[in-house]
Amino acid sequence: MALSTARKPFLKYSFTLGIAAMEGRGFYYPTDLAFRNDGRIYVLGRGHDGDTRGVQVLACNIDSEYFGKFASHGKGPGQFIWSTAIACDNAGNIYVADEYLNNISIFSPDHKFITRWGEQGTEPGKLNGPCGLSFDWEGNLFVVDHQNNRIQKFTKDGALLQCFGHEGLNYGEFNLPWGICVPRYGDIYVADWGNDRIQQFAPNGTYIASYGRSGDGDGEFNRPSSIAVDAQGYMYVTDWGNHRVQVLDPEGRFVQSLRGQATASKWAEEFFQSSYDEGRARAQSNLEPDLSPYSGDPYEESWHMEKYFWAPVSVKVDSAGRVLVVERNRHRIQVYERAK
């Protein structure tokens, strides 16, 4: 599959952040990231079935400076079971959604647990599998209520302000939605996972448009998990089932498809330099093996080819316009920037 069918690439690969590590500096099955106003990046780890050491939040920046970790696996204050999404408010507080405990935990800018709110249910204001989080310009928190097939808007303290959507295939309806983005100008973009599309809504929840359909062609999706929108209105979608990222213009037209071009991160290079045997083994490895005969399954291709996206689950755009893609299965973040 070609990296792009556009005449001129819109995005180009820049570098990679992170390394696989169950403890200490590194990610272990990350699911999402969030930016603080000062440039700090928070990477949410979900861990893996049977190994909960990766359930935590790691703090770093775009230059790979490491600021530590906080939170852990469990049901107590400041703990998660199945963490799904993370977001920061304008004051630097950190919000984390847990789809098992059906709540939102809040941490201070110095990573101390403050409180949590939310309970399981189907009534407005209650949650059943919260996953996507995004703040609007007024400081209210939008939550994707995954298994209730709706979007809910809360104050920072958990008071319900708005609720829209229900299960279905029609426009304005959802089938297990996952990711959400609320840009500064106020429209709401939702990754409608089960319906293989992106939906756009006005701030009051009125349906505006739908982008994409089921498939593996340009502008088509197979279980899109996340959506980010930049200042110009370009959309970046993690096409999770096709193991790629697609770029759409503000009108929803296809621009570019990315399969991944990862290189070793700064943390990985430091590890290889300090571990002679690991560094030598990597230097002798064939990182781009011949996959012929190729079955056409992108999962198989991503499994064998280290540079490719393997389960890209979240995408965000930072204040400099860089596009950061979280890869769950390779425990890293690929960073892209506008091509000149």
Side-chain angles (χ1 to χ4, degrees):
M1 184 180 295
L3 291 178
S4 172
T5 58
R7 291 183 178 179
K8 181 180 179 181
F10 184 77
L11 292 180
K12 65 176 182 178
Y13 171 76
S14 186
F15 57 92
T16 293
L17 289 171
I19 189 174
M22 291 170 282
E23 298 175 330
R25 186 182 70 171
F27 312 144
Y28 191 54
Y29 292 97
T31 59
D32 198 13
L33 67 81
F35 304 110
R36 203 165 72 178
N37 288 338
D38 63 358
R40 184 166 292 194
I41 301 170
Y42 291 103
V43 182
L44 181 63
R46 183 180 173 106
H48 191 267
D49 292 344
D51 190 339
T52 61
R53 287 174 291 176
V55 181
Q56 58 203 353
V57 180
L58 179 145
C60 64
N61 66 16
I62 200 71
D63 296 318
S64 294
E65 291 183 273
Y66 172 61
F67 303 111
K69 293 181 176 180
F70 61 96
S72 61
H73 180 267
K75 297 182 180 180
Q79 295 183 315
F80 322 121
I81 299 294
W82 291 343
S83 52
T84 54
I86 188 168
C88 292
D89 66 16
N90 288 332
N93 297 307
I94 304 126
Y95 293 67
V96 177
D98 187 321
E99 67 172 329
Y100 181 92
L101 298 175
N102 291 293
N103 62 25
I104 309 295
S105 292
I106 307 172
F107 299 83
S108 68
D110 60 354
H111 309 162
K112 305 298 183 183
F113 175 75
I114 299 175
T115 189
R116 61 187 181 187
W117 49 261
E119 60 179 318
Q120 186 175 14
T122 59
E123 301 89 347
K126 294 188 177 181
L127 302 169
N128 190 5
C131 50
L133 298 177
S134 185
F135 280 97
D136 66 11
W137 67 277
E138 294 179 320
N140 298 309
L141 182 63
F142 282 83
V143 180
V144 178
D145 195 3
H146 179 65
Q147 295 192 55
N148 281 328
N149 293 290
R150 65 190 180 191
I151 307 300
Q152 300 202 72
K153 177 182 176 182
F154 297 90
T155 66
K156 294 179 181 181
D157 299 322
L160 180 67
L161 298 173
Q162 182 183 8
C163 180
F164 66 90
H166 57 269
E167 184 177 4
L169 303 176
N170 296 323
Y171 295 142
E173 300 175 336
F174 300 113
N175 181 7
L176 299 175
W178 190 264
I180 188 170
C181 179
V182 185
R184 292 289 298 177
Y185 55 81
D187 281 355
I188 304 160
Y189 295 79
V190 180
D192 190 4
W193 190 84
N195 284 327
D196 296 320
R197 64 190 178 189
I198 300 299
Q199 295 203 71
Q200 181 182 357
F201 299 86
N204 64 1
T206 300
Y207 169 80
I208 295 176
S210 178
Y211 310 111
R213 60 181 181 180
S214 181
D216 59 6
D218 294 343
E220 298 177 338
F221 302 116
N222 181 8
R223 302 299 185 253
S225 58
S226 181
I227 167 76
V229 183
D230 68 16
Q232 290 76 45
Y234 284 88
M235 293 173 268
Y236 308 92
V237 182
T238 49
D239 190 6
W240 179 83
N242 285 321
H243 299 275
R244 64 184 178 181
V245 171
Q246 294 202 71
V247 184
L248 307 180
D249 73 10
E251 285 72 45
R253 295 181 294 249
F254 171 79
V255 174
Q256 186 178 10
S257 177
L258 303 166
R259 280 291 279 120
Q261 293 176 262
T263 53
S265 70
K266 182 178 180 180
W267 294 352
E269 291 289 359
E270 292 172 355
F271 171 75
F272 292 134
Q273 291 170 9
S274 64
S275 178
Y276 174 77
D277 289 341
E278 294 285 352
R280 182 178 63 176
R282 179 178 175 81
Q284 295 174 348
S285 298
N286 179 9
L287 300 180
E288 297 192 25
D290 181 7
L291 299 182
S292 58
Y294 174 47
S295 68
D297 181 3
Y299 180 90
E300 178 186 353
E301 189 178 38
S302 291
W303 175 33
H304 288 90
M305 201 76 72
E306 182 185 279
K307 69 179 182 180
Y308 286 166
F309 293 122
W310 192 14
V313 67
S314 176
V315 59
K316 299 291 175 66
V317 179
D318 71 7
S319 60
R322 290 176 292 235
V323 178
L324 284 73
V325 183
V326 179
E327 284 185 78
R328 173 171 164 77
N329 285 7
R330 283 221 164 84
H331 323 285
R332 67 189 179 192
I333 297 169
Q334 291 196 42
V335 182
Y336 290 77
E337 59 185 22
R338 287 282 189 97
K340 296 181 180 179

